[in-house]
Amino acid sequence: MKRARIVGTGRALPEKVLTNADFERMVDTSDEWITGRTGIKERRIASDEEALSDFAIPSAREALELAGIEGKDVDLVIVATVTPDTSFPATSTQVQDAIGAKGAAAFDLSAACTGFIYSLAVAKSMIDAGAIETAVLVGAEVLSKVVDYSERSTSVLFGDGAGAVVVRAEEGEPGLLSVAMHSDGSLGHLIDRPVGGSRHPIKSLESLDSGSDLGYIRMRGNETFRVAVRSLAEVSHEVLADYGVSPSDVDWFIPHQANRRIIDAVGQRLAIPEGRTYVNVERYGNTSSASIPIALDELNRSGELESGHLVLLSAFGSGLTWGASLIRW
Ligand code: UT7
């Protein structure tokens, strides 16, 4: 019986770097505050001309190249994002076209920072059911386009980028061992961006009220922080228990890169052994759905991720949504 396995990874990031020193010139903040509260030192930011697909497409191409798979063999393309190129059509259809996945199914998946985990769950289910053989999953975000750079508490947190994986049906031991997904819409107000849907439609540029914050990411950071730590720890335990292993069996823990303090707190709650948590938040900030696949690709290409390693992924974000996955590399 064929089971789902990740066979390639890729990433693409904007060239432009925004450092904490840059923010010191833009808003009332300091490198000391940002580093101390978040661990972030710099983040990558798309140029005015760049949009989501400018990163989603190259990340997907990289993953396919590493996997040695051609676009024509891809059955499904998912782009997990809340910042697509356009409201519709879905950006995934542009990726499908660019990689030559002729006739493949393609859709965008909206689960904010948890989007990549959700896409893993979809691909695993479809492969395990025998419905598809090969999927390209992209987590990509250009949050800089919806960040208010005059507002210090959210602007310093976010960055842009894309990460991708190729998931394929293979004989032998399964790679995607377990995936869990959850949500709680009653806490939707903790992180949102109201404009752009049917509740606050944008029919013309004039319809955006200047002075309103409805078009920007809004976050109640402190409350979000507390729920994030609890949910990430719980859902991580859930996938570990599902497969009958404990945190000490994990070779690599790759949490969503939102904040160094959240990552450390979750690692402590889970008792992940020292040195097994992958962190790059200092270089990219919070890239939402892109953070886990970017980290996965960095680790994969560094040679530190070895065949047979047990990898735990977990994420948390707007919705609220949260989820985790356990992988045998
Ligand atoms: O990926 C989706 C999930 N999102 C998250 O996981 C984010 C979760 N939240 C967080 O990471 C943290 O809550 C933040 C990093 C956003 C904020 O850290 P905090 O320790 O919760 O700070 P706070 O919001 O309670 O603010 C503390 C103080 C406030 O000043 P007062 O009221 O105590 O005088 C803020 O106005 O820090 C102030 N502050 C800043 N000061 C300097 C807020 N932002 C800044 C800033 N520079 N950039």
Side-chain angles (χ1 to χ4, degrees):
M1 188 180 170
K2 289 185 172 180
R3 307 305 288 267
R5 174 171 288 280
I6 293 178
V7 292
T9 60
R11 69 181 189 276
L13 288 137
E15 277 178 24
K16 187 176 163 193
V17 176
L18 209 53
T19 66
N20 290 352
D22 293 326
F23 274 100
E24 285 177 346
R25 289 186 283 274
M26 291 156 61
V27 285
D28 178 17
T29 191
S30 64
D31 174 45
E32 191 190 357
W33 192 96
I34 302 171
T35 307
R37 298 282 177 137
T38 71
I40 300 166
K41 285 289 190 186
E42 58 185 45
R43 45 319 261 150
R44 302 296 185 91
I45 302 293
S47 68
D48 287 346
E49 295 72 37
E50 286 170 323
L52 192 85
S53 58
D54 295 314
F55 308 106
I57 291 169
S59 72
R61 285 192 174 129
E62 265 203 1
L64 283 168
E65 198 178 321
L66 201 65
I69 290 172
E70 290 184 51
K72 67 176 175 49
D73 296 321
V74 173
D75 307 307
L76 170 68
V77 179
I78 303 178
V79 175
T81 191
V82 292
T83 49
D85 282 21
T86 52
S87 288
F88 62 87
T91 304
S92 54
T93 57
Q94 293 192 40
V95 176
Q96 170 272 325
D97 182 44
I99 64 174
K102 203 168 183 318
F107 60 88
D108 288 0
L109 191 157
S110 177
C113 305
T114 320
F116 180 72
I117 301 283
Y118 270 57
S119 72
L120 278 179
V122 174
K124 174 176 162 32
S125 305
M126 292 185 74
I127 286 173
D128 288 353
I132 60 163
E133 286 262 320
T134 308
V136 169
L137 313 179
V138 181
E141 222 68 82
V142 280
L143 290 170
S144 65
K145 306 282 181 180
V146 295
V147 157
D148 179 358
Y149 282 101
S150 68
E151 209 280 299
R152 66 180 182 175
S153 63
T154 49
S155 60
V156 299
L157 304 174
F158 297 103
D160 302 336
V165 297
V166 179
V167 182
R168 193 172 167 95
E170 297 222 321
E171 298 287 353
E173 290 298 303
L176 297 183
L177 305 174
S178 177
V179 193
M181 302 181 279
H182 298 287
S183 70
D184 182 355
S186 73
L187 296 175
H189 59 282
L190 292 186
I191 320 170
D192 67 0
R193 179 188 178 241
V195 149
S198 55
R199 182 72 62 195
H200 299 284
I202 307 173
K203 294 183 188 160
S204 67
L205 289 178
E206 290 74 46
S207 64
L208 265 178
D209 218 2
S210 65
S212 154
D213 68 353
L214 295 181
Y216 297 120
I217 297 183
R218 311 181 306 177
M219 182 168 71
R220 297 199 197 173
N222 216 279
E223 288 161 83
T224 306
F225 191 104
R226 285 195 296 274
V227 191
V229 173
R230 194 180 61 237
S231 310
L232 286 167
E234 278 174 11
V235 77
S236 299
H237 273 306
E238 183 182 338
V239 293
L240 291 168
D242 190 35
Y243 194 64
V245 291
S246 69
S248 60
D249 297 315
V250 170
D251 294 292
W252 283 108
F253 175 42
I254 308 180
H256 168 47
Q257 309 282 311
N259 180 322
R260 176 83 211 207
R261 284 159 56 221
I262 295 178
I263 293 170
D264 289 346
V266 175
Q268 276 166 17
R269 275 197 187 203
L270 290 172
I272 297 287
E274 192 69 24
R276 297 196 200 165
T277 302
Y278 191 77
V279 184
N280 64 12
V281 70
E282 70 281 1
R283 285 179 284 131
Y284 303 130
N286 179 348
T287 58
S288 186
S289 63
S291 86
I292 288 177
I294 288 172
L296 200 52
D297 183 56
E298 282 190 343
L299 195 54
N300 189 23
R301 287 171 196 265
S302 74
E304 289 185 273
L305 187 53
E306 294 168 17
S307 177
H309 270 171
L310 196 60
V311 185
L312 172 65
L313 315 176
S314 65
F316 171 91
S318 171
L320 296 178
T321 56
W322 62 101
S325 181
L326 192 65
I327 296 171
R328 178 74 68 194
W329 201 254

